[in-house]
Amino acid sequence: MSLSRQHIHSLSHSRGDRGAILLVVVVAMFVVAAATAGVLMVTSQAIHLNGSQQQRAIAFNLAESGAEYGYQVLRDMSTPPATLTPLDPFGGAVAVDGGTYQATIYPDASNLTVFLKKYQIVCTGTFKGATKKVELVVQQASFGRYAYFTDKETSSISGGAIWWRAGETVDGPVHSNNKDNSNFNINYNGSNAPIFKDVVTAAGNTINYTPSRPTTETTFRKIFSDGSKGYKLSVPAIELPSTTEAQKNAAWGSSAGFPNTNGVYLRASVNGGIYIRGDAAIQFTLDASGNQKILITQENNTTTITVLLGSSSTTLSGVKGTGSDGNISKLPDGVIYCTGNITSLQGEIADNTYNSSGITKRSAYTIATDVNAGKDITLTGSLYYHTKPDKTKDASDTSNLAAGTMGLVAESTIISTACPTNMRLDAVTLSGGQNTTSGSFYAQSYNSRSIGTLSLLGGIIQKDRGPVGTFNSGTGQTTSGYVKNYVYDPRLAACPPPFFPTTGQYERLSWRIRTD
C-alpha cells in the first residue's frame, strides 16, 4: 500500500506530538515525585520535631511536679532540717509513666545563723532522652506576714461573737482559723469605704454579714477593696506556735543553764539577748544621740541597757544578775525574754543605722514572755518607732531604712486604762499559743472607757478575739473604747523582728528553669 507524501508527513507529525506529550508527562511525574519526597521529608522532620518538643514538655512537667512534691515533703516535716546536708526527699529517682523525676533539697548556707530557714529545691525530670531542671526557693513564713490573725472569733472575755464594723480599716492580710465553730462576723451598716483593703482568708466556709449577705459588687466593695474576690473561704488552718522556747533560748544564748534567781541578764557575749527572771516593767527611750535605752525595773531596782549601734557595743548600769555582761563590745540579738509578766511596757524605738546601700544594723526587738505559763504584756502607753515607715514609698526611702522593728509575744497583750485615748502601737503582736486555753489582744474597760482611735502599725495575731471597744449595731457608731485603724507593715513579712514565731509554713521566694 502506497502512502502519499502528505499522509506520511501527517503521521510523522502525530508521532512527534505524542513524544512531546510523553516527555511532559514524565517531567511532571518527576516534579510530583520530587515534591512528594520533599513533603514527606518535611513531614518527617515535623513529626520528629513535634516528638522532641513533646518529650521536652513531659520532662518539664515531671521536673515541676517533682519540685512541688519535694516542697510538700519539706512542709510536712515537724521541724525544718537543721543541717546544711542536702536532702533526698524521695530516696532516689521516681518513675512516672515512662519518665522519672529526682529532687534534692539544699539548705541555704545562712540557715546556721538565721531564724527563718531558707531552702532550694532542685528537681530534674527525664523522658525518653529529654531532660529539664527547675528550681524552687522557699523560706519559713513568719506570723509577721499578717495584719490580723485569729484562731477563733469569739471574745476572750464574754465568750460572744466580736464583729468588724463599718469605719474600721485593716490594711493588710487577714486570716481566721474559725476554731470551735466560730464564724467571721462583719457589720457593714453605714459603710462608705471598704473595711478590708487586702485579702481575707478563713478556714470556715461562711461569713456572717449584717444587715445581709452582699449580692452585688457594689455592696461587696463596701466591705472588701477587691469586692467579691476579696475573700477566700475553706483554706487550711494555720496553727499557732506551741511554745516560746525558741525566744527563751535566743535571749539566754543557750538552751541550758538558766538562772534561778530573779534579775536582769545581758547575754550579748554568748550571742544572746536580754533575759529577765521575774516580773518586770520595761520602758524604751532614746539618749541625746538617738541610741536605744532600755529601762528594766524590778521592784525598786532599775537596770539601764544602752544599745550603741554605731559602735556595735552595749552598756549596762544598775543592778544585774550574776553572770550578766556589763559593758561589752557586742550587740544583743534583739530578743528580750521575761519569765514573768511584763507589768508595764511603753516607749520609743530607735532608728536603724543605714547608708545608701541599705540598712547596716537593725534596731529590732522581740519581747516575749512564758506564754504557756500564762504570762502577759501590759501596755501602759504608746509604743512607737522614732521614724515611722511608709509602705507607699520604695523600700530604699529614708523612712523605711530608718524605721525600727518591734514584736510582742505573750499569752495576752493588754491595753491598760493608763494608755492614752488615742493610742499608737507600732508592733506585730502574738497573743496565745497552741497549748493555751486563751490568749488575746484587748483593752481594759473596753465597754466604759472614752472613745478614741487605736492606730496600729504592724499586726495582731491572737488565740481568740479580744475586744477594744463597743458600737451600736444599728447605726455602726462607736459607743466606747477604740475605733480600729490597723495598718499593715509589709516589712515584717520579709524581715520580721528577731526570732518572731513562724507559721509552720513556707513562702515561695523564687522559681526558675535551670539550664545547667
Side-chain angles (χ1 to χ4, degrees):
M1 178 179 179
S2 63
L3 298 174
S4 66
R5 182 177 297 175
Q6 183 179 1
H7 190 188
I8 293 172
H9 177 75
S10 176
L11 183 60
S12 175
H13 182 73
S14 177
R15 288 175 177 172
D17 288 343
R18 287 199 297 269
I21 292 171
L22 181 60
L23 179 61
V24 170
V25 170
V26 170
V27 170
M29 291 178 63
F30 177 79
V31 170
V32 171
T36 301
V39 169
L40 290 173
M41 182 178 296
V42 170
T43 301
S44 176
Q45 291 174 342
I47 292 172
H48 177 74
L49 180 61
N50 185 59
S52 297
Q53 289 176 335
Q54 186 180 43
Q55 291 166 13
R56 289 195 294 270
I58 294 174
F60 169 77
N61 290 338
L62 287 168
E64 188 175 35
S65 297
E68 290 297 325
Y69 288 137
Y71 178 35
Q72 185 66 51
V73 170
L74 182 63
R75 287 191 300 176
D76 289 345
M77 292 180 180
S78 57
T79 58
T83 70
L84 298 184
T85 304
L87 306 173
D88 182 348
F90 310 123
V94 178
V96 180
D97 295 333
T100 63
Y101 62 77
Q102 185 163 8
T104 304
I105 300 174
Y106 296 95
D108 192 82
S110 67
N111 285 2
L112 296 180
T113 57
V114 299
F115 185 58
L116 295 181
K117 311 302 183 187
K118 185 188 298 182
Y119 300 91
Q120 179 189 74
I121 304 166
V122 178
C123 187
T124 301
T126 303
F127 184 79
K128 293 184 178 180
T131 299
K132 286 291 182 180
K133 184 183 291 187
V134 300
E135 173 190 286
L136 175 62
V137 179
V138 299
Q139 180 176 314
Q140 283 183 285
S142 165
F143 274 103
R145 68 188 299 222
Y146 292 105
Y148 201 88
F149 177 107
T150 51
D151 213 32
K152 57 183 179 180
E153 296 298 321
T154 50
S155 170
S156 59
I157 296 176
S158 69
I162 295 181
W163 290 73
W164 291 98
R165 71 168 186 83
E168 297 176 335
T169 58
V170 186
D171 190 8
V174 173
H175 176 81
S176 175
N177 282 335
N178 298 124
K179 291 287 183 68
D180 298 335
N181 297 314
S182 63
N183 210 339
F184 206 79
N185 306 293
I186 302 172
N187 184 320
Y188 61 94
N189 264 329
S191 181
N192 294 313
I195 302 169
F196 303 102
K197 296 184 178 181
D198 208 320
V199 66
V200 174
T201 58
N205 56 16
T206 61
I207 293 177
N208 288 336
Y209 295 97
T210 292
S212 61
R213 187 184 185 283
T215 57
T216 67
E217 280 300 305
T218 300
T219 307
F220 269 116
R221 290 188 184 279
K222 292 181 179 181
I223 306 167
F224 309 101
S225 286
D226 288 337
S228 60
K229 296 180 180 179
Y231 67 96
K232 297 178 182 178
L233 303 179
S234 301
V235 304
I238 300 169
E239 296 299 333
L240 289 169
S242 57
T243 70
T244 49
E245 290 297 305
Q247 292 72 39
K248 177 182 179 180
N249 296 341
W252 184 247
S254 173
S255 59
F258 300 103
N260 54 19
T261 57
N262 289 353
V264 178
Y265 301 81
L266 174 62
R267 299 283 291 175
S269 62
V270 289
N271 300 318
I274 299 170
Y275 187 92
I276 305 169
R277 190 180 189 278
D279 293 350
I282 302 175
Q283 182 174 9
F284 285 78
T285 65
L286 307 184
D287 68 11
S289 300
N291 297 305
Q292 187 72 74
K293 294 179 67 176
I294 306 170
L295 283 65
I296 303 170
T297 302
Q298 290 187 303
E299 297 180 350
N300 296 319
N301 298 320
T302 297
T303 302
T304 301
I305 297 173
T306 303
V307 180
L308 305 159
L309 292 182
S311 60
S312 296
S313 61
T314 311
T315 65
L316 183 150
S317 63
V319 179
K320 63 179 182 178
T322 302
S324 169
D325 297 329
N327 298 342
I328 184 171
S329 296
K330 289 190 72 173
L331 296 171
D333 64 10
V335 180
I336 302 173
Y337 183 85
C338 184
T339 65
N341 294 300
I342 296 176
T343 57
S344 173
L345 175 63
Q346 60 179 304
E348 183 176 9
I349 310 305
D351 284 347
N352 302 316
T353 60
Y354 61 94
N355 56 33
S356 58
S357 299
I359 297 171
T360 55
K361 294 169 189 171
R362 295 181 71 200
S363 177
Y365 299 92
T366 292
I367 302 175
T369 65
D370 188 344
V371 171
N372 286 348
K375 303 304 180 181
D376 301 329
I377 294 176
T378 299
L379 293 158
T380 52
S382 289
L383 183 66
Y384 58 95
Y385 302 136
H386 177 70
T387 298
K388 188 175 182 178
D390 187 346
K391 73 175 188 176
T392 67
K393 296 181 179 178
D394 190 80
S396 61
D397 184 80
T398 299
S399 63
N400 294 319
L401 292 175
T405 312
M406 174 61 75
L408 308 179
V409 183
E411 182 187 51
S412 286
T413 305
I414 306 163
I415 301 175
S416 75
T417 52
C419 288
T421 301
N422 293 312
M423 171 79 175
R424 179 177 167 188
L425 177 58
D426 296 346
V428 55
T429 70
L430 191 155
S431 304
Q434 277 188 45
N435 300 321
T436 63
T437 57
S438 63
S440 61
F441 177 95
Y442 69 92
Q444 290 178 340
S445 303
Y446 70 94
N447 56 356
S448 60
R449 66 193 298 159
S450 299
I451 297 172
T453 299
L454 173 58
S455 297
L456 175 99
L457 176 62
I460 295 175
I461 297 96
Q462 56 190 337
K463 179 87 171 184
D464 43 10
R465 291 284 296 271
V468 298
T470 62
F471 70 98
N472 185 304
S473 61
T475 64
Q477 297 299 309
T478 300
T479 53
S480 68
Y482 291 110
V483 175
K484 305 183 189 82
N485 180 26
Y486 297 164
V487 177
Y488 179 54
D489 187 351
R491 302 177 310 143
L492 303 180
C495 200
F499 291 86
F500 196 77
T502 60
T503 65
Q505 298 186 339
Y506 291 85
E507 293 182 296
R508 297 168 183 265
L509 300 183
S510 66
W511 182 96
R512 68 184 179 112
I513 299 174
R514 294 267 294 258
T515 57
D516 58 331

Tab-separated table of all heavy atoms in Angstrom, residues 264 266 268 274 287 291-294 303-309 311-318 320 324-332:
chain	number	residue	atom	x	y	z
A	264	VAL	N	18.055	40.842	135.945
A	264	VAL	CA	18.220	41.191	134.535
A	264	VAL	C	19.583	40.703	134.076
A	264	VAL	O	20.605	40.982	134.725
A	264	VAL	CB	18.107	42.720	134.337
A	264	VAL	CG1	18.336	43.086	132.872
A	264	VAL	CG2	16.740	43.212	134.799
A	266	LEU	N	22.140	40.547	130.766
A	266	LEU	CA	22.558	40.870	129.404
A	266	LEU	C	23.461	39.746	128.930
A	266	LEU	O	24.463	39.421	129.587
A	266	LEU	CB	23.302	42.205	129.381
A	266	LEU	CG	23.941	42.615	128.046
A	266	LEU	CD1	22.892	42.792	126.959
A	266	LEU	CD2	24.748	43.907	128.222
A	268	ALA	N	24.883	39.272	125.601
A	268	ALA	CA	25.446	39.519	124.273
A	268	ALA	C	26.733	38.731	124.039
A	268	ALA	O	27.048	38.351	122.908
A	268	ALA	CB	25.705	41.012	124.087
A	274	ILE	N	18.587	39.736	126.011
A	274	ILE	CA	18.349	40.184	127.382
A	274	ILE	C	17.368	39.210	128.017
A	274	ILE	O	16.261	39.006	127.502
A	274	ILE	CB	17.791	41.617	127.406
A	274	ILE	CG1	18.789	42.586	126.762
A	274	ILE	CG2	17.478	42.043	128.840
A	274	ILE	CD1	18.215	43.976	126.521
A	287	ASP	N	18.642	58.195	124.025
A	287	ASP	CA	19.543	59.171	124.639
A	287	ASP	C	19.721	60.354	123.695
A	287	ASP	O	19.090	60.412	122.625
A	287	ASP	CB	20.886	58.521	125.018
A	287	ASP	CG	21.737	58.098	123.823
A	287	ASP	OD1	21.422	58.480	122.669
A	287	ASP	OD2	22.733	57.385	124.040
A	291	ASN	N	20.551	56.850	120.566
A	291	ASN	CA	20.784	55.441	120.882
A	291	ASN	C	19.626	54.887	121.721
A	291	ASN	O	18.995	55.627	122.495
A	291	ASN	CB	22.093	55.270	121.650
A	291	ASN	CG	23.295	55.691	120.844
A	291	ASN	OD1	23.519	55.203	119.735
A	291	ASN	ND2	24.078	56.618	121.385
A	292	GLN	N	19.394	53.604	121.583
A	292	GLN	CA	18.307	52.963	122.320
A	292	GLN	C	18.681	52.732	123.773
A	292	GLN	O	19.701	52.106	124.077
A	292	GLN	CB	17.945	51.629	121.681
A	292	GLN	CG	16.709	50.970	122.274
A	292	GLN	CD	15.452	51.705	121.856
A	292	GLN	OE1	15.030	51.600	120.724
A	292	GLN	NE2	14.854	52.438	122.777
A	293	LYS	N	17.844	53.234	124.687
A	293	LYS	CA	17.986	52.936	126.103
A	293	LYS	C	16.795	52.078	126.524
A	293	LYS	O	15.645	52.394	126.208
A	293	LYS	CB	18.028	54.226	126.933
A	293	LYS	CG	19.242	55.085	126.671
A	293	LYS	CD	19.217	56.349	127.510
A	293	LYS	CE	19.372	56.046	128.996
A	293	LYS	NZ	19.443	57.295	129.802
A	294	ILE	N	17.078	50.986	127.226
A	294	ILE	CA	16.034	50.082	127.703
A	294	ILE	C	16.095	50.073	129.224
A	294	ILE	O	17.078	49.611	129.815
A	294	ILE	CB	16.235	48.661	127.137
A	294	ILE	CG1	16.338	48.692	125.606
A	294	ILE	CG2	15.090	47.749	127.580
A	294	ILE	CD1	16.772	47.376	124.998
A	303	THR	N	17.476	48.692	135.936
A	303	THR	CA	18.669	48.390	135.144
A	303	THR	C	18.524	49.085	133.802
A	303	THR	O	17.490	48.953	133.147
A	303	THR	CB	18.819	46.872	134.933
A	303	THR	OG1	18.883	46.229	136.207
A	303	THR	CG2	20.069	46.555	134.132
A	304	THR	N	19.549	49.814	133.391
A	304	THR	CA	19.505	50.527	132.117
A	304	THR	C	20.512	49.919	131.152
A	304	THR	O	21.715	49.865	131.440
A	304	THR	CB	19.819	52.019	132.299
A	304	THR	OG1	18.869	52.592	133.201
A	304	THR	CG2	19.748	52.747	130.967
A	305	ILE	N	20.001	49.448	130.025
A	305	ILE	CA	20.846	48.890	128.967
A	305	ILE	C	20.785	49.833	127.779
A	305	ILE	O	19.696	50.166	127.303
A	305	ILE	CB	20.380	47.472	128.581
A	305	ILE	CG1	20.531	46.518	129.777
A	305	ILE	CG2	21.161	46.956	127.373
A	305	ILE	CD1	19.938	45.149	129.554
A	306	THR	N	21.952	50.279	127.310
A	306	THR	CA	22.018	51.186	126.169
A	306	THR	C	22.671	50.459	125.004
A	306	THR	O	23.778	49.921	125.139
A	306	THR	CB	22.835	52.452	126.511
A	306	THR	OG1	22.251	53.085	127.659
A	306	THR	CG2	22.813	53.425	125.344
A	307	VAL	N	21.979	50.438	123.885
A	307	VAL	CA	22.454	49.736	122.685
A	307	VAL	C	23.028	50.775	121.724
A	307	VAL	O	22.302	51.639	121.228
A	307	VAL	CB	21.306	48.955	122.018
A	307	VAL	CG1	21.809	48.228	120.776
A	307	VAL	CG2	20.697	47.961	123.009
A	308	LEU	N	24.329	50.695	121.475
A	308	LEU	CA	25.042	51.658	120.645
A	308	LEU	C	25.330	51.022	119.283
A	308	LEU	O	26.349	50.360	119.088
A	308	LEU	CB	26.339	52.082	121.336
A	308	LEU	CG	26.162	52.635	122.757
A	308	LEU	CD1	27.456	52.543	123.548
A	308	LEU	CD2	25.666	54.065	122.721
A	309	LEU	N	24.382	51.175	118.354
A	309	LEU	CA	24.541	50.536	117.049
A	309	LEU	C	25.782	51.040	116.325
A	309	LEU	O	26.473	50.269	115.643
A	309	LEU	CB	23.296	50.784	116.193
A	309	LEU	CG	21.994	50.114	116.628
A	309	LEU	CD1	20.882	50.436	115.626
A	309	LEU	CD2	22.149	48.611	116.773
A	311	SER	N	28.715	51.962	117.322
A	311	SER	CA	29.991	51.367	117.743
A	311	SER	C	29.883	49.869	118.011
A	311	SER	O	30.840	49.257	118.503
A	311	SER	CB	30.495	52.072	119.003
A	311	SER	OG	29.559	51.931	120.069
A	312	SER	N	28.717	49.288	117.716
A	312	SER	CA	28.486	47.846	117.941
A	312	SER	C	28.835	47.449	119.371
A	312	SER	O	29.537	46.461	119.622
A	312	SER	CB	29.288	46.997	116.951
A	312	SER	OG	28.855	47.214	115.637
A	313	SER	N	28.328	48.225	120.323
A	313	SER	CA	28.614	47.947	121.729
A	313	SER	C	27.362	48.159	122.570
A	313	SER	O	26.385	48.770	122.125
A	313	SER	CB	29.756	48.835	122.244
A	313	SER	OG	29.396	50.209	122.144
A	314	THR	N	27.405	47.635	123.790
A	314	THR	CA	26.273	47.720	124.698
A	314	THR	C	26.777	48.052	126.096
A	314	THR	O	27.795	47.512	126.531
A	314	THR	CB	25.504	46.380	124.741
A	314	THR	OG1	25.239	45.937	123.415
A	314	THR	CG2	24.186	46.529	125.480
A	315	THR	N	26.069	48.925	126.776
A	315	THR	CA	26.445	49.244	128.151
A	315	THR	C	25.302	48.880	129.084
A	315	THR	O	24.133	48.863	128.690
A	315	THR	CB	26.772	50.747	128.321
A	315	THR	OG1	25.575	51.517	128.095
A	315	THR	CG2	27.845	51.180	127.335
A	316	LEU	N	25.667	48.579	130.338
A	316	LEU	CA	24.677	48.243	131.359
A	316	LEU	C	25.021	48.987	132.637
A	316	LEU	O	26.169	48.976	133.089
A	316	LEU	CB	24.655	46.735	131.605
A	316	LEU	CG	23.606	46.200	132.607
A	316	LEU	CD1	23.190	44.779	132.236
A	316	LEU	CD2	24.125	46.218	134.043
A	317	SER	N	24.012	49.630	133.205
A	317	SER	CA	24.191	50.275	134.501
A	317	SER	C	23.052	49.875	135.410
A	317	SER	O	21.940	49.582	134.956
A	317	SER	CB	24.247	51.802	134.347
A	317	SER	OG	23.023	52.302	133.827
A	318	GLY	N	23.313	49.861	136.728
A	318	GLY	CA	22.304	49.436	137.679
A	318	GLY	C	22.491	47.981	138.063
A	318	GLY	O	23.523	47.352	137.788
A	320	LYS	N	22.357	44.054	138.091
A	320	LYS	CA	22.356	42.995	137.081
A	320	LYS	C	22.474	41.637	137.763
A	320	LYS	O	22.989	41.523	138.875
A	320	LYS	CB	23.485	43.182	136.086
A	320	LYS	CG	24.882	43.090	136.691
A	320	LYS	CD	25.969	43.256	135.624
A	320	LYS	CE	27.359	43.119	136.256
A	320	LYS	NZ	28.434	43.235	135.241
A	324	SER	N	25.757	38.123	134.288
A	324	SER	CA	25.349	39.018	133.210
A	324	SER	C	26.557	39.779	132.686
A	324	SER	O	27.513	40.055	133.420
A	324	SER	CB	24.302	40.006	133.731
A	324	SER	OG	24.066	41.036	132.789
A	325	ASP	N	26.505	40.129	131.401
A	325	ASP	CA	27.517	41.034	130.859
A	325	ASP	C	27.348	42.409	131.474
A	325	ASP	O	26.243	42.807	131.885
A	325	ASP	CB	27.359	41.171	129.335
A	325	ASP	CG	27.587	39.861	128.604
A	325	ASP	OD1	28.380	39.038	129.093
A	325	ASP	OD2	26.959	39.660	127.541
A	326	GLY	N	28.444	43.160	131.485
A	326	GLY	CA	28.379	44.577	131.817
A	326	GLY	C	28.519	45.356	130.530
A	326	GLY	O	27.772	45.133	129.580
A	327	ASN	N	29.475	46.236	130.451
A	327	ASN	CA	29.764	46.922	129.199
A	327	ASN	C	30.499	45.955	128.279
A	327	ASN	O	31.460	45.314	128.685
A	327	ASN	CB	30.617	48.169	129.447
A	327	ASN	CG	29.904	49.180	130.324
A	327	ASN	OD1	28.680	49.113	130.476
A	327	ASN	ND2	30.647	50.107	130.896
A	328	ILE	N	30.058	45.876	127.026
A	328	ILE	CA	30.622	44.872	126.127
A	328	ILE	C	30.629	45.380	124.697
A	328	ILE	O	29.725	46.117	124.277
A	328	ILE	CB	29.824	43.544	126.229
A	328	ILE	CG1	30.465	42.463	125.359
A	328	ILE	CG2	28.348	43.755	125.878
A	328	ILE	CD1	29.864	41.089	125.586
A	329	SER	N	31.640	45.001	123.953
A	329	SER	CA	31.763	45.417	122.543
A	329	SER	C	31.026	44.448	121.627
A	329	SER	O	31.590	43.899	120.670
A	329	SER	CB	33.237	45.516	122.153
A	329	SER	OG	33.874	46.530	122.903
A	330	LYS	N	29.801	44.208	121.951
A	330	LYS	CA	28.926	43.370	121.125
A	330	LYS	C	27.505	43.893	121.278
A	330	LYS	O	27.175	44.568	122.257
A	330	LYS	CB	28.987	41.893	121.536
A	330	LYS	CG	30.275	41.190	121.186
A	330	LYS	CD	30.169	39.693	121.398
A	330	LYS	CE	29.303	39.030	120.348
A	330	LYS	NZ	29.320	37.550	120.446
A	331	LEU	N	26.653	43.542	120.315
A	331	LEU	CA	25.247	43.910	120.376
A	331	LEU	C	24.418	42.692	120.765
A	331	LEU	O	24.715	41.566	120.331
A	331	LEU	CB	24.764	44.430	119.017
A	331	LEU	CG	25.408	45.722	118.517
A	331	LEU	CD1	24.986	45.994	117.076
A	331	LEU	CD2	25.024	46.896	119.418
A	332	PRO	N	23.374	42.858	121.572
A	332	PRO	CA	22.467	41.740	121.844
A	332	PRO	C	21.707	41.363	120.580
A	332	PRO	O	21.614	42.149	119.635
A	332	PRO	CB	21.537	42.294	122.925
A	332	PRO	CG	21.596	43.772	122.756
A	332	PRO	CD	22.959	44.101	122.245
